[in-house]
Amino acid sequence: MRSFLWGALTVETVVAALFFVRYWCVSGDRFFGYFALAFGFMALNWISVSTIDPKLEVTHYAYLLRLVAFVLIIAGILDKNRRNEPS
């Protein structure tokens, strides 16, 4: 059951990434590009979590992908807010 749920999470994050890629292609806004990359990293995180044996000592490295995703989301928000400031 756990593998099925990880697969569902992977598919959901890939679909979200594809939506953000489409929005980025239509609008050209970097904000959507950041979010597409972030959800791509989240999909990689779920793939790595589901394939790495929990007994190995390297499972914590899989969560670095999630950290990168959250940093990209924060960077996208900060980039969007800084570009829209009035001069």
Side-chain angles (χ1 to χ4, degrees):
M1 185 69 169
R2 190 181 310 175
S3 297
F4 173 77
L5 292 175
W6 279 329
L9 285 168
T10 303
V11 169
E12 291 169 4
T13 54
V14 167
V15 168
L18 291 174
F19 274 116
F20 282 118
V21 166
R22 186 179 70 178
Y23 297 147
W24 174 66
C25 288
V26 169
S27 69
D29 193 358
R30 289 186 302 204
F31 177 76
F32 296 122
Y34 279 112
F35 270 66
L37 280 174
F39 277 98
F41 275 107
M42 288 295 279
L44 289 175
N45 171 58
W46 288 118
I47 290 170
S48 63
V49 166
S50 66
T51 57
I52 295 175
D53 185 21
K55 296 174 187 166
L56 296 176
E57 293 184 14
V58 296
T59 51
H60 61 280
Y61 291 123
Y63 292 101
L64 290 176
L65 294 168
R66 190 179 294 186
L67 175 66
V68 170
F70 288 127
V71 167
L72 281 170
I73 289 172
I74 291 169
I77 292 170
L78 291 176
D79 181 57
K80 181 73 172 179
N81 287 335
R82 288 180 190 227
R83 283 187 288 138
N84 288 337
E85 287 182 3
S87 299

